[in-house]
Amino acid sequence: MSAGPTALVRAAGALVWRVRQGRLQVVLVHRPRYKDWSWPKGKLEPGEHVTTAAVREVEEEAGLEIVLGRPLPGLEYELADGRHKRVHYWAAQVAGRPDRPAVHARPPAAHASRDEIDAVRWADADVARRRLTRADDRIPLDALVAAHEAGTLDTRAVLVVRHGRAKSRSSWKGEEGTRPLTDVGRLQAGALVPVLSAYGVADVVTSPWLRCCATVEPYATAAGLTPDRRDPLTEADHADSPEKTAATVAAVLRTRSDLALCTHRPVLPTVLDVVRAHAPAAVRRRLPAQNPYLRPGQVLVCHVVRPHGSGPDEVRVEDVELHTPLGS
């Protein structure tokens, strides 16, 4: 009996890339069971976030610790049993020295046996295109190549985080800056850890108010980082001087590391205005535009093109993603 029409198998993987002697290269894996060359990928485990699955599957199948970059076109197709499979892909790079805090925050991954993966190869992009067994696997590769040729493939991530669910203002009798997270908020903070790790977060910038600090604390602890607390990201300082908040956010966008910025709902319009000012029209249309902008514990991932050369840095947000780590 075939599965119902709503049955969906979710999977994730990545196109790991590098440039050698001016040539774009990618990683392919060979699966002896299917006798095919494909991208490292695999099914999500129960309760696993899609970005976490992508990072885990690449490490298991290709033996590489990676950091995700820009999202690439995914694929969806019907399986033999009637279910549909949806595969999410990202561009990715092998984690380097600046990314080690993020890798440190991950659990160890077991490598695939030779019965599952018996070869891992770096190949020039044009060679990989010919070697891929499934024609549809060329779709994310073509997008990767196009981004490389446009100079927008090499990106870093700035993750805008709204703090987890906090106790209500009406129920809290202490100072506003000490209002804590609820039990749900603490679960949301924990669920952020693998998502921030997947994007290689090496710096954490946060409002110093308790609910923001508690939201980023699990990741900072796992990664061995000390959060950078900035007063302009608090609700009170933002109300007094949104210009200072905007300047802080603009400085964060210019930072060269992958980082997370945690703040409050009333501050988000100013944060998004700064992002919008550095994004092309297609990206601006995809930014949250209505209150509450982000739900508690949600993450907006901004992919910022890395500047090249010694000239002044030009900040350009080339792509965005929205993730809900808990319950997504």
Side-chain angles (χ1 to χ4, degrees):
M1 183 175 180
S2 64
T6 60
L8 179 67
V9 177
R10 297 182 72 199
L15 276 64
V16 187
W17 67 274
R18 68 184 184 187
V19 176
R20 288 291 185 271
Q21 297 180 334
R23 298 194 303 272
L24 178 66
Q25 298 181 335
V26 290
V27 168
L28 295 174
V29 296
H30 185 262
R31 303 184 299 175
R33 177 183 176 186
Y34 301 101
K35 299 180 181 179
D36 69 355
W37 287 96
S38 63
W39 309 119
K41 65 181 183 302
K43 293 186 292 186
L44 274 63
E45 295 179 348
E48 188 176 35
H49 192 269
V50 65
T51 58
T52 311
V55 170
R56 176 184 55 76
E57 286 290 343
V58 171
E59 184 171 357
E60 287 181 359
E61 294 197 349
L64 300 173
E65 296 171 332
I66 63 165
V67 170
L68 299 183
R70 295 185 57 175
L72 297 171
L75 301 176
E76 186 166 340
Y77 48 90
E78 187 174 354
L79 299 173
D81 61 4
R83 294 180 298 169
H84 282 257
K85 185 173 185 177
R86 180 179 299 159
V87 188
H88 302 261
Y89 284 114
W90 284 264
Q93 291 179 275
V94 175
R97 187 179 299 247
D99 308 305
R100 300 315 296 180
V103 174
H104 185 70
R106 301 173 188 171
H111 292 179
S113 69
R114 287 191 61 82
D115 291 337
E116 184 179 357
I117 301 293
D118 64 354
V120 178
R121 297 285 186 272
W122 284 98
D124 289 354
D126 56 342
V127 174
R129 197 175 193 280
R130 294 192 298 270
R131 185 173 291 180
L132 286 165
T133 303
R134 287 175 52 90
D136 283 353
D137 278 347
R138 297 168 185 162
I139 295 172
L141 176 60
D142 290 346
L144 185 92
V145 171
H148 173 65
E149 292 176 346
T152 59
L153 178 58
D154 191 8
T155 61
R156 56 185 175 80
V158 175
L159 282 68
V160 178
V161 181
R162 181 180 169 186
H163 65 72
R165 188 169 300 281
K167 289 186 179 293
S168 66
R169 296 178 196 271
S170 61
S171 68
W172 182 247
K173 305 306 179 184
E175 294 182 359
E176 181 62 18
T178 63
R179 184 153 58 93
L181 298 179
T182 63
D183 290 344
V184 170
R186 287 189 286 273
L187 288 174
Q188 290 169 328
L192 282 170
V193 174
V195 177
L196 270 58
S197 172
Y199 289 101
V201 168
D203 290 294
V204 176
V205 179
T206 183
S207 158
W209 285 7
L210 178 59
R211 52 191 181 273
C212 280
C213 291
T215 297
V216 299
E217 181 182 13
Y219 179 74
T221 299
L225 300 173
T226 300
D228 180 0
R229 303 180 182 191
R230 308 259 185 118
D231 288 332
L233 297 177
T234 65
E235 292 184 33
D237 278 41
H238 175 259
D240 289 341
S241 179
E243 295 82 7
K244 287 185 178 179
T245 303
T248 297
V249 177
V252 165
L253 283 181
R254 290 193 297 271
T255 304
R256 289 178 177 253
S257 64
D258 300 285
L259 59 82
L261 180 154
C262 185
T263 190
H264 311 263
R265 180 193 56 77
V267 184
L268 288 174
T270 296
V271 175
L272 294 173
D273 281 346
V274 175
V275 174
R276 195 172 287 110
H278 293 88
V283 174
R284 292 197 298 268
R285 288 192 292 268
R286 294 167 50 204
L287 290 171
Q290 294 181 329
N291 188 37
Y293 307 101
L294 298 177
R295 299 199 302 275
Q298 272 194 319
V299 180
L300 177 72
V301 183
C302 304
H303 297 280
V304 183
V305 177
R306 295 183 191 272
H308 294 280
S310 58
D313 293 355
E314 178 185 350
V315 177
R316 180 180 171 91
V317 179
E318 191 62 33
D319 210 339
V320 291
E321 301 176 79
L322 183 63
H323 293 300
T324 307
L326 185 64
S328 59

